[in-house]
Amino acid sequence: MLKKIGLVAALALIGYSLFTLGDIKGTANFKGKLDSLTEVNDYLLIQNQIADSQIKAIERQDSILTYNIEHQKAKVIRIKEIVEVEKNKIDNFTEQELVSYLNNRYPKDTITNPLPVAQPVLASASRDLAAYDGAKHEIVIKDSVIAIQESRITLKDSTITLFVNKEGRYKSIIGNKDQAISEWSK
């Protein structure tokens, strides 16, 4: 009986030793996998933080560009106001003021071949010239607005790319967490 108890105790000790040694190897492997997944997740989180700072920088640039666009639009409004004032002045010109206005605008052209033209035609042409002058300035400003808008679109595209990359990293983090949970359940 004592032999049987000794044999059972020896077998139990051997089984326990094998189980413990196997468990130690399994535990080391388990911990290694978890540590590896944690390191990957930490790296991905750092990459997302970097992307967040890049997004904030892009948002600051976008707000500057938005301000510039609003400033340019205000200039266009101001030009339109100036053109209207100029047109109203032309409407009130006398014949001599109208001729003087055109002579000042085209000093060489009015001397070579003077032609008699009715005052309403000259006034209408002068109003159109004032509108044309304003339109030239507006076009320059609106071209700059278009260029600024294109820059904003490029920034928005960059922001979208950063968000898509962040989403991919978050999905990887979730996948790694799922893998860690499955390791824990084993």
Side-chain angles (χ1 to χ4, degrees):
M1 179 83 166
L2 198 49
K3 280 185 169 181
K4 282 184 179 179
I5 294 175
L7 185 60
V8 170
L11 287 175
L13 182 60
I14 290 171
Y16 176 75
S17 296
L18 289 176
F19 179 74
T20 306
L21 288 175
D23 191 39
I24 289 172
K25 287 181 184 176
T27 301
N29 191 22
F30 169 73
K31 285 182 180 180
K33 285 181 183 178
L34 288 182
D35 288 344
S36 175
L37 291 172
T38 301
E39 285 178 26
V40 169
N41 284 349
D42 289 345
Y43 174 76
L44 293 172
L45 288 171
I46 289 170
Q47 292 302 310
N48 280 349
Q49 289 173 345
I50 291 169
D52 285 338
S53 65
Q54 291 171 334
I55 289 168
K56 286 179 185 176
I58 289 172
E59 287 173 347
R60 281 190 297 275
Q61 288 175 333
D62 182 60
S63 66
I64 290 169
L65 293 176
T66 301
Y67 171 79
N68 289 343
I69 288 172
E70 295 305 317
H71 182 67
Q72 297 295 62
K73 287 180 179 179
K75 282 183 179 179
V76 169
I77 292 169
R78 181 69 181 131
I79 288 171
K80 287 181 179 186
E81 291 170 353
I82 291 170
V83 166
E84 282 304 310
V85 167
E86 189 71 21
K87 285 180 176 180
N88 290 336
K89 279 198 307 188
I90 290 170
D91 286 341
N92 297 324
F93 277 173
T94 64
E95 290 176 9
Q96 290 80 16
E97 289 173 328
L98 195 53
V99 170
S100 175
Y101 173 79
L102 290 171
N103 284 338
N104 287 335
R105 185 174 177 103
Y106 304 106
K108 294 179 182 177
D109 297 336
T110 55
I111 298 172
T112 57
N113 189 13
L115 297 174
V117 180
Q119 183 176 357
V121 174
L122 288 178
S124 177
S126 297
R127 285 175 53 84
D128 290 344
L129 288 171
Y132 168 74
D133 290 342
K136 286 192 310 186
H137 293 295
E138 281 183 46
I139 288 171
V140 170
I141 292 172
K142 288 184 177 181
D143 281 347
S144 72
V145 168
I146 290 170
I148 293 170
Q149 284 289 30
E150 288 174 353
S151 297
R152 286 190 69 219
I153 290 169
T154 302
L155 290 176
K156 296 294 183 183
D157 289 345
S158 298
T159 303
I160 290 168
T161 301
L162 288 169
F163 276 118
V164 167
N165 292 340
K166 278 182 66 175
E167 177 187 17
R169 286 189 289 270
Y170 279 124
K171 286 180 179 179
S172 295
I173 290 170
I174 291 170
N176 290 342
K177 293 289 185 178
D178 288 343
Q179 191 175 355
I181 289 170
S182 72
E183 288 293 323
W184 274 102
S185 63
K186 288 179 185 177

